[in-house]
Amino acid sequence: MLYANLEANLATLTTPSARFVLALSGGMDSRVLLHLMGRYLERYPEASCKAVHVHHGLSANADDWAALCARWAAEAGVDFVLEKVTLALGKRTSVEQQARDARYTALRAHIQLGDVLLTAQHADDQLETVLLALKRGSGPAGLSAMPQCTAFATGWHVRPLLDQPRTAIEQYASEHRLDWVEDESNSDERYDRNFLRHQVTPLLNTRWPGIRKAVTRSAALCAEQEALLQELLAEQLGQAMSADQSLDIACLHPEKPGSERRGKALLRHWLAAVGVKMPSQAQLEQVWHSVVLAQPDANPKVGWGEVEVRRFRQCLHVIQPYEDISDAVVALQLNQACRLPAAIGSLSLSESGAGQLRLPRADEPVTVRFEPAGLEVQPVGRVGKRKLKKLFQEYGVPSWLRRRTPLLFYGEQLVAVAGLFVVEAFAGKECELTWHYEQE
């Protein structure tokens, strides 16, 4: 029964000659899926499959689990790959989330164009996912839970067991006398999903045996609603997004009464389009009121996770917080490129008859700095001095990049701002300043 269901699902979602990548944790669910795929390959020899086991190093038994997975894959006639990952424990992100992110990053590396990633989530997992989404206060996107098939890397992610209850998987494992690994963390009810699995969903399934199917229908309806909303907003989002993935605030129409609901929906779809982890409802409210509705000359920002939403010239930008290099001082030798800190490229001052700068004197050591505060200069062709902060505004440099823009000094005098201008008092034709920039 379970194999017939898997074969039917794969026939609908893939082709008999597909290349499969199976995520093999070694737990009962993925162990059963591996056994099923062994049978599938016997039936469809034109298909191929490799099992990838991600070794997180979180358990003392991790090496033993990897060895067992390798053995089981060989028994099933499936190629085996071991991927070891390291988690940055101690950060604010949960261990569960870090492990999941690392796992999918490792799996993504094995997906070639058109390949199919197989994972073993089932109907009880879907129920838990919806309950967790409800606990977080998620909207239709979160309540859509896990789709049976979705795009992944350059291929697809298919969950062929998603319509089957855990009991069907347990029965199959028993009938075929399969063994599997038991991750000791699965019994730790400090983790929300484990608490639901051991304390909540058994009660729900006992009281309402059809709840798995009902929740699956609700998730599918939410997914349909979310897909429809994306279609309705797709044209508007296309008009509002620039080539640099910034979002034109005017397209949100914040000045119009009743625009907030549509504007926030467009914000969510913009964040999804640029690949950002979705903010909470409270954080989205903060983006709307503190950034979208800020005064045009304000410099607001709202951050969550490892990203920030900031505003510049009536556009919203998603950026990652940068390393502070404002105190850095880098020596620069004439005719020699130097590497700049924080991976922002290299800078060179070269002798050239078509340059914009005069040569530095022997008593003028050349350095590169990044702190613009308090500096006041006169660019070539301008009348009078202006504060560098004002000049950055005029030249269209966003506030978050101003301390990442190289400032060239002769001695203690600012002579040029890379990529923008040369200071009038140091203009000449002997030297050319070149910045090879490597980031946004």
Side-chain angles (χ1 to χ4, degrees):
M1 178 66 179
L2 196 62
Y3 174 77
N5 182 80
L6 173 127
E7 187 174 314
N9 284 337
L10 292 184
T12 301
L13 301 170
T14 69
T15 64
S17 59
R19 295 188 305 270
F20 296 102
V21 176
L22 193 158
L24 180 62
S25 68
M28 181 182 66
D29 304 335
S30 67
R31 177 72 177 95
V32 165
L33 181 56
L34 175 67
H35 191 271
L36 290 167
M37 287 305 297
R39 296 173 61 183
Y40 183 87
L41 293 176
E42 290 178 357
R43 178 78 182 273
Y44 300 99
E46 63 270 36
S48 65
C49 182
K50 67 176 174 182
V52 178
H53 176 76
V54 180
H55 184 307
H56 299 97
L58 294 175
S59 171
N61 301 311
D63 291 338
D64 294 335
W65 297 343
L68 286 169
C69 286
R71 192 190 83 199
W72 294 330
E75 291 172 355
V78 172
D79 293 336
F80 177 79
V81 178
L82 175 65
E83 286 281 358
K84 290 190 175 182
V85 299
T86 302
L87 305 184
L89 301 178
K91 293 186 177 181
R92 294 177 62 185
T93 308
S94 72
V95 174
E96 290 174 288
Q97 186 63 46
Q98 286 190 57
R100 182 185 185 280
D101 292 345
R103 184 162 59 251
Y104 277 102
T105 297
L107 292 168
R108 188 174 285 107
H110 291 274
I111 301 297
Q112 300 178 23
L113 184 64
D115 286 359
V116 179
L117 172 66
L118 297 177
T119 57
Q121 291 94 348
H122 47 70
D124 289 76
D125 292 325
Q126 185 79 302
L127 174 56
E128 293 162 8
T129 299
V130 172
L131 291 174
L132 287 170
L134 286 170
K135 190 266 294 185
R136 291 191 297 267
S138 300
L143 294 174
S144 299
M146 298 179 290
Q148 191 166 46
C149 180
T150 188
F152 180 77
T154 56
W156 302 95
H157 181 183
V158 170
R159 299 176 173 91
L161 305 179
L162 196 60
D163 56 353
Q164 296 297 301
R166 180 179 285 113
T167 52
I169 294 170
E170 291 172 344
Q171 182 178 352
Y172 184 94
S174 175
E175 288 175 354
H176 292 270
R177 298 181 180 179
L178 301 180
D179 50 351
W180 57 87
V181 303
E182 290 287 357
D183 188 337
E184 61 273 12
S185 68
N186 287 339
S187 61
D188 188 346
E189 293 184 8
R190 292 177 298 177
Y191 298 119
D192 289 343
R193 187 175 288 274
N194 289 342
F195 171 74
L196 290 174
R197 182 169 301 164
H198 297 296
Q199 298 293 334
V200 178
T201 56
L203 290 175
L204 295 177
N205 286 318
T206 299
R207 181 68 176 86
W208 299 296
I211 193 170
R212 299 184 195 90
K213 290 184 178 180
V215 166
T216 298
R217 284 197 303 271
S218 293
L221 290 171
C222 287
E224 286 183 15
Q225 181 180 354
E226 186 66 16
L228 176 60
L229 183 59
Q230 289 185 16
E231 289 179 16
L232 294 174
L233 291 177
E235 183 177 354
Q236 188 177 351
L237 182 61
Q239 294 171 350
M241 278 185 67
S242 300
D244 64 356
Q245 295 193 318
S246 62
L247 187 71
D248 185 353
I249 291 175
C251 292
L252 300 177
H253 304 294
E255 76 288 349
K256 291 184 179 181
S259 65
E260 184 172 341
R261 182 184 302 168
R262 178 181 288 268
K264 288 178 181 175
L266 193 62
L267 278 177
R268 283 193 292 269
H269 285 78
W270 169 59
L271 293 171
V274 299
V276 171
K277 180 182 177 181
M278 205 55 56
S280 67
Q281 183 66 23
Q283 289 163 338
L284 189 68
E285 289 282 341
Q286 195 175 4
V287 170
W288 182 263
H289 292 286
S290 299
V291 184
V292 175
L293 300 183
Q295 293 299 315
D297 59 347
N299 183 29
K301 64 180 178 180
V302 173
W304 64 93
E306 296 182 351
V307 299
E308 293 176 346
V309 170
R310 304 188 70 157
R311 173 178 179 145
F312 182 71
R313 288 190 168 179
Q314 292 299 95
C315 285
L316 299 180
H317 298 259
V318 171
I319 67 166
Q320 293 184 344
Y322 295 122
E323 174 188 348
D324 183 7
I325 59 173
S326 58
D327 292 333
V329 178
V330 181
L332 179 63
Q333 301 297 322
L334 191 63
N335 299 317
Q336 294 182 20
C338 74
R339 299 296 301 176
L340 299 174
I344 61 171
S346 62
L347 198 71
S348 60
L349 182 66
S350 307
E351 292 183 85
S352 170
Q356 310 89 26
L357 279 159
R358 70 162 173 80
L359 278 167
R361 297 192 303 265
D363 62 345
E364 292 177 325
V366 182
T367 57
V368 183
R369 307 178 190 182
F370 300 89
E371 178 52 76
L375 296 175
E376 192 174 86
V377 293
Q378 179 185 349
V380 168
R382 301 286 293 268
V383 177
K385 292 184 177 182
R386 297 210 71 185
K387 289 183 178 180
L388 193 50
K389 177 182 177 180
K390 295 294 185 182
L391 291 170
F392 274 141
Q393 292 174 351
E394 291 181 23
Y395 283 92
V397 179
S399 59
W400 56 91
L401 295 181
R402 292 172 190 173
R403 284 180 168 80
R404 294 173 63 81
T405 301
L407 310 176
L408 186 71
F409 280 76
Y410 288 178
E412 294 301 314
Q413 299 296 313
L414 176 63
V415 302
V417 178
L420 297 183
F421 61 81
V422 170
V423 176
E424 179 71 41
F426 296 88
K429 294 184 178 180
E430 294 90 356
C431 292
E432 182 176 7
L433 183 67
T434 305
W435 181 18
H436 295 285
Y437 194 29
E438 297 177 356
Q439 287 193 347
E440 296 180 349

